[in-house]
Amino acid sequence: MSMPKEPRQLMINLMYLVLTAMLALNVSSEILHAFKTINQSINQSNNSIQSKNQELYDLFDENEKQPGREDRVKPYNDRAKQVRAQADEVMKYLEEWKEKIIIESGGYTESGEIKAESNIDASTKLLVEKNGGDEIKEKLEQLRDLMINSVDEKDREKAASSLPLRITEPEKSDNNPQGKWSVGTFYNMPVMAAITLFSKMQNDVRNSEAQVVKQLFDESYSSTLKFDEIAAIAVPQTSYALVGQKVEARIMLAAYNKSVAPNVSTLGGGGKISKVENGVAYWETVTAAVGQQTVKGTVSINMGDRVETKPWEFQYMVGSAGGSIQLDKMNVFYIGVDNPVTVSAAGYSLEDVYLDMPDGEIKGDDERGKGAFNIRVTKPSGPQGVKVAIMAKAQGGAKEVGALNVRVKYIPDPIAQVGGQAGGYMSSAKFRPQIGPAAALLNFEFDARYIVTEFSYSVMKRRDPDIKGPYKVVNPKGAVFTANQDIMRMQADLKPGDRVFIDDIKARGPDGRVRSLNSLSFTLN
């Protein structure tokens, strides 16, 4: 438009421009006032949200201190405290940016008001040209990621979709051809509008903090099993007592969930879990051995985010009419070894029961528990056996409550072997390094050993023109070939086709008797 040359028209045009500017200034003032009002309202809302968040943090701490809840609540409370610390840091960070923009625009008046609320250069310079907006975006995204990852994995997708704190990328335009968030958010934004926008970001931070902490609080409670049934249970401290003894029991209410089936296993004491029904497991067994029995195992329940496993144990007594003895290994006693037995006596505590027998040494077996004994005998019995009496302490003295006749025998003779063989064919390469004959007790229940004391050793060479007779015989004392130089030389010279004879083998057993064992004959190949 060309400028008019007439002074009157020029004045009219200038007045029109001034009026338009005045109208624009009036609209800007109203808009800025609206921004100031909104900013004050958002700040009040932030303070209210922070107050409610503090109440939730205090409740979190109280729950963690409750007996039996620390292990469940503490991991969630620790995550909540981490969210709180990061949220506080971002709140302070955004507050500092408010101050930077106000200072850049000219600061405050003497009355404390912002001097240039309509200034659009400060936000553009600091947040767009100097890339301050990119830094703010990164801070907000880091806080959002932390909050989402703080909740349980199964709840993260829901949290990501509902969290107020989020970054929305602007569409590309003539003023923002690259579609940058900092340009679309802060370019040419008046100071008062920028301050209000930062307050809105702070509001999103506090609202998101409240949502995440509430979620963590709910998750800490979801890990607690909800019980829907109770039952009265009485558990005696002992399942066996004598007249005059104290009997104690624990009586309690047990809470359980009928819809949650525990996983119950037995680790010792026999028996089996017959069924698990309505949240209760049932154990059963058929008694066999007499005496006190201990049953133990574990019970596990799925708590949602973890599996809780607890041990359980109980004891019961198996008795019989009168007294009885169970021979734990064989139906005889063997001389020279511990013969284990288990004793029971109905109507008497095992602590008051003991054994008595002639020519026998009886000791309690602490490893196997009460009612278990080891018996050592020194001489064999006749066909009728020896009497083993079960004695019990009672009022007026000890009395016999049962008995058993048991035959006493020597330990069986062992079998002489070399290299695990009692004769036959063996390679010369295998026979040469053998150290001597051994006395082996085969298929014998007890831990009994025989020691070879002497033997004779002879070799018949397949061809040996230097030997006048067919044999070269050595009669050593001891249990090994290496104790005799002649045997060592003969062993080293063994070849396929030679025959080795080991005779007159004697061995001493744990009962002290020396036995004569079988002869050994080996053909080497």
Side-chain angles (χ1 to χ4, degrees), residues 316-373:
Y316 66 96
M317 182 68 68
V318 178
S320 60
S324 66
I325 299 177
Q326 174 181 307
L327 305 186
D328 293 344
K329 287 196 174 181
M330 305 289 281
N331 60 356
V332 298
F333 287 162
Y334 285 103
I335 298 171
V337 295
D338 286 335
N339 296 273
V341 300
T342 301
V343 177
S344 66
Y348 297 91
S349 170
L350 286 178
E351 295 177 347
D352 297 328
V353 176
Y354 62 95
L355 297 176
D356 181 61
M357 67 173 292
D359 300 318
E361 180 184 353
I362 304 171
K363 292 183 178 180
D365 191 336
D366 294 335
E367 291 185 1
R368 291 190 293 132
K370 298 175 182 177
F373 299 89

Short mmCIF file of all heavy atoms in Angstrom, two decimals, residues 316-373:
data_model
loop_
_atom_site.label_atom_id
_atom_site.label_comp_id
_atom_site.label_asym_id
_atom_site.label_seq_id
_atom_site.Cartn_x
_atom_site.Cartn_y
_atom_site.Cartn_z
N TYR A 316 5.20 -88.53 65.96
CA TYR A 316 4.20 -89.42 66.54
C TYR A 316 4.90 -90.70 66.98
O TYR A 316 6.00 -91.02 66.52
CB TYR A 316 3.06 -89.71 65.56
CG TYR A 316 3.46 -90.50 64.34
CD1 TYR A 316 3.30 -91.89 64.29
CD2 TYR A 316 4.00 -89.87 63.23
CE1 TYR A 316 3.67 -92.62 63.18
CE2 TYR A 316 4.36 -90.59 62.10
CZ TYR A 316 4.20 -91.96 62.08
OH TYR A 316 4.56 -92.68 60.98
N MET A 317 4.27 -91.42 67.89
CA MET A 317 4.85 -92.62 68.47
C MET A 317 4.09 -93.85 67.96
O MET A 317 2.87 -93.86 67.92
CB MET A 317 4.76 -92.57 69.99
CG MET A 317 5.38 -93.76 70.68
SD MET A 317 7.17 -93.81 70.48
CE MET A 317 7.62 -92.39 71.47
N VAL A 318 4.85 -94.85 67.51
CA VAL A 318 4.26 -96.12 67.10
C VAL A 318 4.63 -97.16 68.14
O VAL A 318 5.81 -97.39 68.41
CB VAL A 318 4.78 -96.56 65.71
CG1 VAL A 318 4.17 -97.91 65.34
CG2 VAL A 318 4.43 -95.52 64.67
N GLY A 319 3.64 -97.77 68.76
CA GLY A 319 3.90 -98.76 69.79
C GLY A 319 3.25 -100.10 69.45
O GLY A 319 2.64 -100.27 68.40
N SER A 320 3.40 -101.04 70.32
CA SER A 320 2.77 -102.35 70.18
C SER A 320 2.38 -102.82 71.56
O SER A 320 2.76 -102.24 72.56
CB SER A 320 3.74 -103.35 69.53
OG SER A 320 4.90 -103.49 70.33
N ALA A 321 1.59 -103.87 71.59
CA ALA A 321 1.18 -104.40 72.88
C ALA A 321 2.39 -104.95 73.61
O ALA A 321 3.11 -105.81 73.07
CB ALA A 321 0.12 -105.48 72.69
N GLY A 322 2.65 -104.48 74.81
CA GLY A 322 3.82 -104.90 75.56
C GLY A 322 5.07 -104.30 74.95
O GLY A 322 5.06 -103.20 74.42
N GLY A 323 6.18 -105.02 75.02
CA GLY A 323 7.44 -104.54 74.47
C GLY A 323 7.86 -105.39 73.29
O GLY A 323 7.52 -106.57 73.20
N SER A 324 8.58 -104.79 72.37
CA SER A 324 9.06 -105.53 71.21
C SER A 324 10.43 -105.03 70.81
O SER A 324 10.80 -103.89 71.06
CB SER A 324 8.08 -105.39 70.04
OG SER A 324 8.06 -104.05 69.59
N ILE A 325 11.17 -105.96 70.17
CA ILE A 325 12.51 -105.65 69.66
C ILE A 325 12.51 -105.92 68.17
O ILE A 325 12.06 -106.98 67.72
CB ILE A 325 13.60 -106.51 70.34
CG1 ILE A 325 13.63 -106.25 71.85
CG2 ILE A 325 14.96 -106.21 69.73
CD1 ILE A 325 14.63 -107.12 72.58
N GLN A 326 13.02 -104.97 67.44
CA GLN A 326 13.18 -105.14 66.00
C GLN A 326 14.66 -105.21 65.68
O GLN A 326 15.41 -104.27 65.97
CB GLN A 326 12.53 -103.96 65.24
CG GLN A 326 12.77 -104.00 63.74
CD GLN A 326 12.13 -102.81 63.07
OE1 GLN A 326 10.94 -102.54 63.24
NE2 GLN A 326 12.92 -102.08 62.29
N LEU A 327 15.10 -106.33 65.09
CA LEU A 327 16.49 -106.46 64.66
C LEU A 327 16.60 -105.78 63.29
O LEU A 327 15.98 -106.20 62.33
CB LEU A 327 16.89 -107.94 64.55
CG LEU A 327 16.67 -108.78 65.83
CD1 LEU A 327 17.24 -110.18 65.65
CD2 LEU A 327 17.34 -108.11 67.03
N ASP A 328 17.38 -104.70 63.25
CA ASP A 328 17.36 -103.82 62.09
C ASP A 328 18.06 -104.39 60.87
O ASP A 328 17.79 -103.95 59.75
CB ASP A 328 17.98 -102.47 62.46
CG ASP A 328 17.13 -101.72 63.47
OD1 ASP A 328 15.95 -102.08 63.64
OD2 ASP A 328 17.63 -100.78 64.09
N LYS A 329 18.99 -105.35 61.04
CA LYS A 329 19.73 -105.84 59.88
C LYS A 329 19.52 -107.33 59.62
O LYS A 329 19.18 -107.74 58.52
CB LYS A 329 21.23 -105.55 60.05
CG LYS A 329 21.56 -104.06 59.87
CD LYS A 329 23.03 -103.83 59.66
CE LYS A 329 23.31 -102.37 59.35
NZ LYS A 329 24.75 -102.11 59.10
N MET A 330 19.77 -108.18 60.61
CA MET A 330 19.64 -109.63 60.42
C MET A 330 18.82 -110.20 61.56
O MET A 330 18.51 -109.52 62.53
CB MET A 330 21.04 -110.29 60.39
CG MET A 330 21.98 -109.70 59.35
SD MET A 330 21.54 -110.11 57.66
CE MET A 330 22.15 -111.77 57.56
N ASN A 331 18.46 -111.50 61.45
CA ASN A 331 17.69 -112.14 62.52
C ASN A 331 18.59 -112.86 63.51
O ASN A 331 18.14 -113.71 64.27
CB ASN A 331 16.66 -113.12 61.93
CG ASN A 331 17.33 -114.21 61.12
OD1 ASN A 331 18.55 -114.20 60.93
ND2 ASN A 331 16.53 -115.17 60.64
N VAL A 332 19.86 -112.53 63.51
CA VAL A 332 20.83 -113.08 64.48
C VAL A 332 21.75 -111.94 64.91
O VAL A 332 21.80 -110.88 64.28
CB VAL A 332 21.67 -114.23 63.87
CG1 VAL A 332 20.79 -115.39 63.46
CG2 VAL A 332 22.47 -113.73 62.68
N PHE A 333 22.49 -112.18 66.02
CA PHE A 333 23.56 -111.29 66.43
C PHE A 333 24.89 -111.89 65.96
O PHE A 333 25.12 -113.09 66.11
CB PHE A 333 23.59 -111.13 67.94
CG PHE A 333 22.49 -110.29 68.51
CD1 PHE A 333 22.16 -110.36 69.86
CD2 PHE A 333 21.77 -109.41 67.71
CE1 PHE A 333 21.14 -109.58 70.38
CE2 PHE A 333 20.76 -108.64 68.22
CZ PHE A 333 20.43 -108.72 69.56
N TYR A 334 25.78 -111.06 65.42
CA TYR A 334 27.10 -111.51 65.00
C TYR A 334 28.16 -110.98 65.96
O TYR A 334 28.09 -109.82 66.40
CB TYR A 334 27.41 -111.05 63.58
CG TYR A 334 26.66 -111.84 62.53
CD1 TYR A 334 25.54 -111.30 61.89
CD2 TYR A 334 27.08 -113.12 62.19
CE1 TYR A 334 24.86 -112.04 60.94
CE2 TYR A 334 26.40 -113.86 61.22
CZ TYR A 334 25.30 -113.32 60.61
OH TYR A 334 24.62 -114.06 59.67
N ILE A 335 29.11 -111.83 66.24
CA ILE A 335 30.19 -111.48 67.17
C ILE A 335 31.18 -110.54 66.46
O ILE A 335 31.54 -110.75 65.31
CB ILE A 335 30.92 -112.75 67.65
CG1 ILE A 335 29.94 -113.65 68.43
CG2 ILE A 335 32.13 -112.43 68.51
CD1 ILE A 335 30.49 -115.02 68.77
N GLY A 336 31.59 -109.48 67.21
CA GLY A 336 32.64 -108.59 66.70
C GLY A 336 32.15 -107.35 66.00
O GLY A 336 32.97 -106.52 65.59
N VAL A 337 30.83 -107.18 65.81
CA VAL A 337 30.30 -105.99 65.14
C VAL A 337 29.13 -105.44 65.95
O VAL A 337 28.57 -106.13 66.82
CB VAL A 337 29.82 -106.31 63.70
CG1 VAL A 337 30.99 -106.73 62.83
CG2 VAL A 337 28.74 -107.39 63.72
N ASP A 338 28.74 -104.17 65.65
CA ASP A 338 27.56 -103.57 66.27
C ASP A 338 26.31 -104.14 65.62
O ASP A 338 26.14 -104.08 64.41
CB ASP A 338 27.57 -102.05 66.10
CG ASP A 338 28.57 -101.38 67.02
OD1 ASP A 338 28.92 -101.95 68.07
OD2 ASP A 338 29.00 -100.27 66.67
N ASN A 339 25.42 -104.69 66.44
CA ASN A 339 24.15 -105.22 65.95
C ASN A 339 23.05 -104.22 66.32
O ASN A 339 22.69 -104.09 67.50
CB ASN A 339 23.86 -106.58 66.60
CG ASN A 339 24.89 -107.63 66.21
OD1 ASN A 339 24.77 -108.30 65.20
ND2 ASN A 339 25.93 -107.78 67.03
N PRO A 340 22.51 -103.49 65.35
CA PRO A 340 21.51 -102.46 65.66
C PRO A 340 20.14 -103.07 65.93
O PRO A 340 19.69 -103.97 65.21
CB PRO A 340 21.49 -101.59 64.41
CG PRO A 340 21.90 -102.51 63.31
CD PRO A 340 22.87 -103.49 63.92
N VAL A 341 19.47 -102.55 66.95
CA VAL A 341 18.11 -102.97 67.28
C VAL A 341 17.29 -101.74 67.62
O VAL A 341 17.82 -100.70 68.01
CB VAL A 341 18.07 -103.96 68.46
CG1 VAL A 341 18.86 -105.22 68.15
CG2 VAL A 341 18.58 -103.31 69.73
N THR A 342 15.97 -101.86 67.46
CA THR A 342 15.03 -100.80 67.83
C THR A 342 14.02 -101.40 68.79
O THR A 342 13.49 -102.49 68.55
CB THR A 342 14.32 -100.23 66.60
OG1 THR A 342 15.29 -99.71 65.69
CG2 THR A 342 13.38 -99.10 67.00
N VAL A 343 13.74 -100.68 69.88
CA VAL A 343 12.91 -101.20 70.95
C VAL A 343 11.68 -100.30 71.12
O VAL A 343 11.77 -99.07 70.98
CB VAL A 343 13.70 -101.25 72.28
CG1 VAL A 343 12.81 -101.72 73.42
CG2 VAL A 343 14.90 -102.16 72.12
N SER A 344 10.54 -100.91 71.42
CA SER A 344 9.35 -100.15 71.80
C SER A 344 8.72 -100.84 72.99
O SER A 344 8.86 -102.05 73.17
CB SER A 344 8.36 -100.06 70.63
OG SER A 344 7.85 -101.34 70.33
N ALA A 345 8.02 -100.04 73.79
CA ALA A 345 7.32 -100.59 74.95
C ALA A 345 6.06 -99.78 75.17
O ALA A 345 6.11 -98.62 75.57
CB ALA A 345 8.20 -100.55 76.19
N ALA A 346 4.91 -100.38 74.86
CA ALA A 346 3.64 -99.67 74.99
C ALA A 346 3.40 -99.28 76.43
O ALA A 346 3.55 -100.10 77.34
CB ALA A 346 2.51 -100.55 74.46
N GLY A 347 3.02 -98.01 76.64
CA GLY A 347 2.72 -97.54 77.99
C GLY A 347 3.91 -96.95 78.70
O GLY A 347 3.78 -96.53 79.85
N TYR A 348 5.07 -96.90 78.05
CA TYR A 348 6.27 -96.37 78.70
C TYR A 348 6.98 -95.40 77.75
O TYR A 348 6.97 -95.58 76.53
CB TYR A 348 7.23 -97.52 79.08
CG TYR A 348 6.66 -98.48 80.09
CD1 TYR A 348 5.96 -99.61 79.65
CD2 TYR A 348 6.78 -98.26 81.45
CE1 TYR A 348 5.41 -100.49 80.56
CE2 TYR A 348 6.24 -99.14 82.36
CZ TYR A 348 5.54 -100.25 81.92
OH TYR A 348 5.00 -101.12 82.83
N SER A 349 7.58 -94.41 78.33
CA SER A 349 8.40 -93.50 77.54
C SER A 349 9.69 -94.20 77.13
O SER A 349 10.29 -94.94 77.93
CB SER A 349 8.73 -92.24 78.35
OG SER A 349 9.70 -91.46 77.69
N LEU A 350 10.13 -93.98 75.91
CA LEU A 350 11.37 -94.62 75.45
C LEU A 350 12.58 -94.21 76.27
O LEU A 350 13.58 -94.92 76.30
CB LEU A 350 11.60 -94.30 73.97
CG LEU A 350 10.68 -95.04 72.99
CD1 LEU A 350 10.97 -94.59 71.56
CD2 LEU A 350 10.88 -96.54 73.12
N GLU A 351 12.49 -93.04 76.90
CA GLU A 351 13.60 -92.61 77.75
C GLU A 351 13.76 -93.52 78.96
O GLU A 351 14.83 -93.57 79.57
CB GLU A 351 13.38 -91.16 78.21
CG GLU A 351 13.39 -90.17 77.06
CD GLU A 351 13.11 -88.75 77.52
OE1 GLU A 351 12.67 -88.58 78.68
OE2 GLU A 351 13.34 -87.83 76.74
N ASP A 352 12.69 -94.24 79.31
CA ASP A 352 12.72 -95.12 80.49
C ASP A 352 12.89 -96.59 80.11
O ASP A 352 12.75 -97.47 80.97
CB ASP A 352 11.42 -94.95 81.29
CG ASP A 352 11.28 -93.54 81.84
OD1 ASP A 352 12.31 -92.92 82.15
OD2 ASP A 352 10.13 -93.07 81.95
N VAL A 353 13.15 -96.88 78.85
CA VAL A 353 13.27 -98.26 78.39
C VAL A 353 14.72 -98.57 78.07
O VAL A 353 15.41 -97.77 77.45
CB VAL A 353 12.38 -98.50 77.15
CG1 VAL A 353 12.56 -99.91 76.61
CG2 VAL A 353 10.90 -98.27 77.49
N TYR A 354 15.18 -99.76 78.49
CA TYR A 354 16.55 -100.18 78.18
C TYR A 354 16.56 -101.70 78.00
O TYR A 354 15.55 -102.38 78.22
CB TYR A 354 17.52 -99.74 79.27
CG TYR A 354 17.25 -100.33 80.64
CD1 TYR A 354 17.92 -101.48 81.09
CD2 TYR A 354 16.34 -99.73 81.52
CE1 TYR A 354 17.68 -102.03 82.34
CE2 TYR A 354 16.09 -100.27 82.77
CZ TYR A 354 16.76 -101.41 83.18
OH TYR A 354 16.52 -101.95 84.42
N LEU A 355 17.71 -102.24 77.58
CA LEU A 355 17.85 -103.67 77.33
C LEU A 355 18.81 -104.31 78.33
O LEU A 355 19.73 -103.65 78.84
CB LEU A 355 18.37 -103.91 75.91
CG LEU A 355 17.46 -103.45 74.76
CD1 LEU A 355 18.16 -103.68 73.42
CD2 LEU A 355 16.13 -104.20 74.79
N ASP A 356 18.60 -105.60 78.54
CA ASP A 356 19.49 -106.36 79.42
C ASP A 356 19.70 -107.75 78.82
O ASP A 356 18.73 -108.40 78.41
CB ASP A 356 18.88 -106.47 80.82
CG ASP A 356 19.80 -107.22 81.77
OD1 ASP A 356 20.94 -106.73 81.98
OD2 ASP A 356 19.41 -108.29 82.25
N MET A 357 20.96 -108.20 78.75
CA MET A 357 21.25 -109.54 78.24
C MET A 357 22.61 -109.98 78.80
O MET A 357 23.49 -109.15 79.07
CB MET A 357 21.27 -109.55 76.72
CG MET A 357 22.39 -108.76 76.07
SD MET A 357 22.47 -108.99 74.29
CE MET A 357 22.98 -110.71 74.20
N PRO A 358 22.80 -111.30 78.99
CA PRO A 358 24.08 -111.80 79.48
C PRO A 358 25.15 -111.73 78.38
O PRO A 358 24.86 -111.90 77.20
CB PRO A 358 23.77 -113.25 79.85
CG PRO A 358 22.61 -113.62 78.97
CD PRO A 358 21.80 -112.37 78.83
N ASP A 359 26.37 -111.43 78.79
CA ASP A 359 27.52 -111.42 77.88
C ASP A 359 27.30 -110.50 76.68
O ASP A 359 27.68 -110.82 75.54
CB ASP A 359 27.84 -112.84 77.37
CG ASP A 359 28.17 -113.79 78.51
OD1 ASP A 359 28.90 -113.36 79.43
OD2 ASP A 359 27.67 -114.93 78.48
N GLY A 360 26.66 -109.39 76.92
CA GLY A 360 26.43 -108.44 75.83
C GLY A 360 26.73 -107.02 76.27
O GLY A 360 26.46 -106.63 77.41
N GLU A 361 27.32 -106.23 75.37
CA GLU A 361 27.58 -104.82 75.62
C GLU A 361 26.54 -104.01 74.85
O GLU A 361 26.46 -104.10 73.62
CB GLU A 361 28.99 -104.44 75.17
CG GLU A 361 29.34 -102.98 75.38
CD GLU A 361 30.71 -102.62 74.82
OE1 GLU A 361 31.43 -103.53 74.38
OE2 GLU A 361 31.03 -101.42 74.79
N ILE A 362 25.75 -103.19 75.56
CA ILE A 362 24.62 -102.47 74.96
C ILE A 362 24.86 -100.98 75.09
O ILE A 362 25.12 -100.48 76.19
CB ILE A 362 23.29 -102.87 75.64
CG1 ILE A 362 23.09 -104.39 75.56
CG2 ILE A 362 22.12 -102.14 74.99
CD1 ILE A 362 21.91 -104.88 76.38
N LYS A 363 24.75 -100.28 73.98
CA LYS A 363 24.91 -98.82 73.97
C LYS A 363 23.77 -98.20 73.17
O LYS A 363 23.34 -98.74 72.16
CB LYS A 363 26.25 -98.42 73.34
CG LYS A 363 27.46 -98.81 74.18
CD LYS A 363 28.74 -98.29 73.50
CE LYS A 363 29.96 -98.64 74.34
NZ LYS A 363 31.22 -98.16 73.71
N GLY A 364 23.31 -97.03 73.64
CA GLY A 364 22.30 -96.29 72.89
C GLY A 364 22.89 -95.68 71.62
O GLY A 364 24.06 -95.31 71.58
N ASP A 365 22.07 -95.60 70.58
CA ASP A 365 22.50 -95.03 69.29
C ASP A 365 21.88 -93.63 69.16
O ASP A 365 20.71 -93.49 68.79
CB ASP A 365 22.05 -95.93 68.14
CG ASP A 365 22.68 -95.52 66.82
OD1 ASP A 365 23.07 -94.35 66.67
OD2 ASP A 365 22.79 -96.38 65.95
N ASP A 366 22.67 -92.59 69.47
CA ASP A 366 22.15 -91.22 69.44
C ASP A 366 21.77 -90.77 68.04
O ASP A 366 20.86 -89.96 67.87
CB ASP A 366 23.19 -90.26 70.03
CG ASP A 366 23.42 -90.51 71.51
OD1 ASP A 366 22.51 -91.03 72.18
OD2 ASP A 366 24.52 -90.18 72.00
N GLU A 367 22.46 -91.27 67.03
CA GLU A 367 22.15 -90.85 65.66
C GLU A 367 20.77 -91.32 65.22
O GLU A 367 20.06 -90.61 64.51
CB GLU A 367 23.20 -91.38 64.69
CG GLU A 367 24.57 -90.72 64.86
CD GLU A 367 25.56 -91.18 63.80
OE1 GLU A 367 25.17 -91.99 62.93
OE2 GLU A 367 26.71 -90.73 63.86
N ARG A 368 20.37 -92.51 65.65
CA ARG A 368 19.06 -93.04 65.24
C ARG A 368 17.95 -92.62 66.20
O ARG A 368 16.78 -92.77 65.89
CB ARG A 368 19.12 -94.56 65.13
CG ARG A 368 19.97 -95.04 63.95
CD ARG A 368 19.82 -96.53 63.71
NE ARG A 368 20.35 -97.32 64.81
CZ ARG A 368 19.73 -98.32 65.40
NH1 ARG A 368 18.51 -98.66 65.01
NH2 ARG A 368 20.30 -99.00 66.39
N GLY A 369 18.30 -92.09 67.36
CA GLY A 369 17.30 -91.55 68.27
C GLY A 369 16.91 -92.49 69.39
O GLY A 369 17.51 -93.55 69.62
N LYS A 370 15.86 -92.08 70.09
CA LYS A 370 15.39 -92.84 71.25
C LYS A 370 14.86 -94.21 70.83
O LYS A 370 14.23 -94.35 69.80
CB LYS A 370 14.30 -92.06 71.96
CG LYS A 370 14.76 -90.70 72.49
CD LYS A 370 13.60 -89.92 73.07
CE LYS A 370 14.05 -88.55 73.54
NZ LYS A 370 12.93 -87.73 74.06
N GLY A 371 15.12 -95.22 71.68
CA GLY A 371 14.67 -96.57 71.40
C GLY A 371 15.60 -97.35 70.49
O GLY A 371 15.31 -98.49 70.15
N ALA A 372 16.72 -96.74 70.08
CA ALA A 372 17.68 -97.42 69.20
C ALA A 372 18.93 -97.78 69.99
O ALA A 372 19.47 -96.96 70.74
CB ALA A 372 18.03 -96.53 68.01
N PHE A 373 19.41 -99.02 69.80
CA PHE A 373 20.59 -99.50 70.53
C PHE A 373 21.50 -100.27 69.59
O PHE A 373 21.06 -100.77 68.55
CB PHE A 373 20.17 -100.42 71.69
CG PHE A 373 19.29 -99.76 72.72
CD1 PHE A 373 17.91 -99.76 72.57
CD2 PHE A 373 19.85 -99.15 73.83
CE1 PHE A 373 17.10 -99.16 73.52
CE2 PHE A 373 19.04 -98.55 74.78
CZ PHE A 373 17.66 -98.55 74.62
#
